[in-house]
Amino acid sequence: MGIHSRDLQTVNKRLPLKDAQEKVTGTHEFPYDFTVPGMVYGRILRSPHAHAKILRIDTSKAEALPGVIAVITHKDVPAEEWIGLWTNYRGCVMDDKVRFVGDEVAAVAAIDLRTADRALELIDVEYEILPHVLTAVEAMKPGAPQVKTSGNNSKDVVLVKWGDIEEGFRDADVVVEGTTFNNAQDQATFSRNSPIASWTPDKTKLTLWSGCTAPSELKDAVANLVKLPKGNVRIVALPTGPSLGKWWFNNLEMMTVFLAKKAHRPVKIVLRQEEVFAGIKRRHIESTVGRLGVMKDGTMVSMQVNDIFDNGAYGDKNDIFQSLSELWPRVEHGHFEMYGVSTNLVTAGCMRGVGDLTMNFALEVLIHKAAEQIDMDPVELRRINAARAGDPCRGQDIHHELFASHLPYPDKVIISSCAMEECLAKGVDEFDWKRRWGGWQSTNKSSGAVKRGVGMATAMHVCGIRYTGDCGAIVKVNADGSANLMVSLGRQGNGNDSTQCQIAAEELGIPYDMVSIDCNDTNVTPWGQGSTASTSTYLSGTATREAAQDAKRKILKLAAAKFEEPADNLDIKDGIIYSKTQHNKRIPLTDVLEDKLPDFWELSKQPCIVGSTVTNVPDDQIPKHVAAHFVELEVDTDTGEIKLLDYLQVQDSGRLINPEVCENQLNGGYYQGVGFTLIEELVHNDAGRIVNPNFAHYKIFRCGDLPDPKIHFIEQDDPVGPFGAKGLGEAPICVPPGAIALAIYNATGVWMTETPFTPERVLKALGKI
């Protein structure tokens, strides 16, 4: 399908990352390392209470401490709310209330961190303690303490529905039900974002350096809040290492901006590791109730999912649905219902996989249960019902309603490509599933306390969302044949900057080494959606390719005069322009770029080739990346411990731009998804305080703790994506809970329904505690 990989020069190749040398030599500057001349250091005073009103705040002693430059409170910031990307934050920078343990109360700028820490101790705050609410279910009850200043704790319900589910359940041969619960997971980033803000002396221009993966959106949010023209605000997105949703941007940047404004100096706010865990953002806590109706032949006829998720104190999402209904579009009747609820916990928002991790877990368990009831292989049940290219993409109307309700909606919206059947078939063969899976009667086949089982599951995720803005790109081709690419991404360690260079190089027909990229400076790059929701390869990559096409057209237009052939007859490969009809006619690209053409430009001037675009993807063809995972494990029924023995991932992400980068993404999703399933949990006490805000007590898996996953890709070109590519990074984290839950059931005969599956919860499910 499409261009064969052997015809590609740069795409689909294992090429080194552009920043590889910086990383291995230690010269790669992360936010914690970055400095600017004359800067001072900031610290934040945080609330010890989950909910309280600030009656009095006295900063006079702190301001009098030698070395203190400035102190800000809610009196120094706008009274209006600001809204973060995809409503991951909605609230004031600070006001006269605190809404979670760790909420920002004040900030200090001082000549060093030691002085700033001492100044925090000198700030005197008098609080009126208010009732707090820590769970979404309690927050939804009449009379519950109200978290936000306006509106109810519970946002309006979001529905995706079709058909008549009750009719479907009446017609079904089998109906299964279930409830799952997911505790909070942290991104557990080793990086600590440490933004620096600097104003010009007249306060008319602002520069903000921050480990941000959405620099264009951050620029807009800051400019709107500080009331400056967008051209007067510059964002420089520093590398973060993994972001996973943590470092899109947060209230931390706004605190830095206003502290620097009062200090009249560049200010860098440095977070402690505990603040990264307990003061920024985490994954939602979710409860999901579902029903599934199937026929004896395996046809799913009715599907219902009701999901309640907590937004914490400042999250404001009413929708964490992404792809759940779209993985099963052949179901005749569907109903997906979501409630976002405010609580007095640290802000919750988008984290890798969002609802496709949590709600998918609930639905995968229901599909397993239905397969058992009709005595069908769980792989076969999925094969019968899974999405295919051309199937309806029903969830898109929600995004249209949220972001573009003033625009007409397409008559038909379809999935542009989907190789789920091929993923399942590949997994069955490579895992030797038919031999390992002994059927539903094989439960407890192992002897002794240690039981062995196998499982599998599937998932789907978006490849970016067109409704949150267009993407721009600029490609400047220099006289020596090199090119500069400018596209807004941010840098979070996933190789997306290198991927964009491969796309540009392939389209231009020049070597990869001849392309450099600026992706993090809003004074250089056009507006773009950044690195969110598996966006960068599909959406930004589309813009990059179109800008390179524009530059290439201009080059070939110049070359046509030399070749005395139409530009359509010419192409470029390895930096050589050649005739597609007369193969002996070839000249170096530089012969055109360095030539002086008096009839086209002024004498003595070299041609300047600039290609650009502002683009988006179609609104009627929606790509999805999909995955099928297979696992074998052991459960010690005496201790509750789970040990993974073998793990296989098969994924459809279209054509791979850089296979090595893609494999690393799947590896990362595996470790984080298994961590979510088995060990990762932010624990809150009754006062709302996180009791494990550090790596000593919040455990994550290391490479030696799990078997290396076996990875396979189904490279089926997407008809819209750049060179057939789609998104990649989020489906891998969404599959492990469902696969591991089935394997535990296969081994022990009990279903695990609350993540993480800790030894205590396993023993409780087994009835041993």
Side-chain angles (χ1 to χ4, degrees), residues 58-66 68 71 108 118-120 122-123:
D58 184 355
T59 62
S60 58
K61 292 181 180 179
E63 291 169 319
L65 183 68
V68 170
V71 181
V108 171
R118 174 60 182 144
L120 293 183
L122 297 176
I123 298 175

Side-chain angles (χ1 to χ4, degrees), residues 446-525:
S446 307
S447 61
V450 178
K451 310 291 185 183
R452 183 172 293 198
V454 295
M456 60 77 56
T458 57
M460 174 186 274
H461 199 72
V462 299
C463 303
I465 300 174
R466 63 166 278 112
Y467 292 112
T468 51
D470 296 338
C471 286
I474 298 170
V475 171
K476 179 168 68 73
V477 184
N478 304 302
D480 62 358
S482 65
N484 302 107
L485 168 63
M486 288 148 275
V487 60
S488 183
L489 290 172
R491 297 169 65 188
Q492 57 178 320
N494 60 357
N496 57 357
D497 49 350
S498 301
T499 297
Q500 299 297 316
C501 289
Q502 288 184 252
I503 293 170
E506 186 67 53
E507 187 58 42
L508 287 169
I510 64 176
Y512 171 68
D513 292 343
M514 297 293 283
V515 181
S516 63
I517 185 170
D518 291 290
C519 61
N520 62 336
D521 187 340
T522 59
N523 271 12
V524 175
T525 64

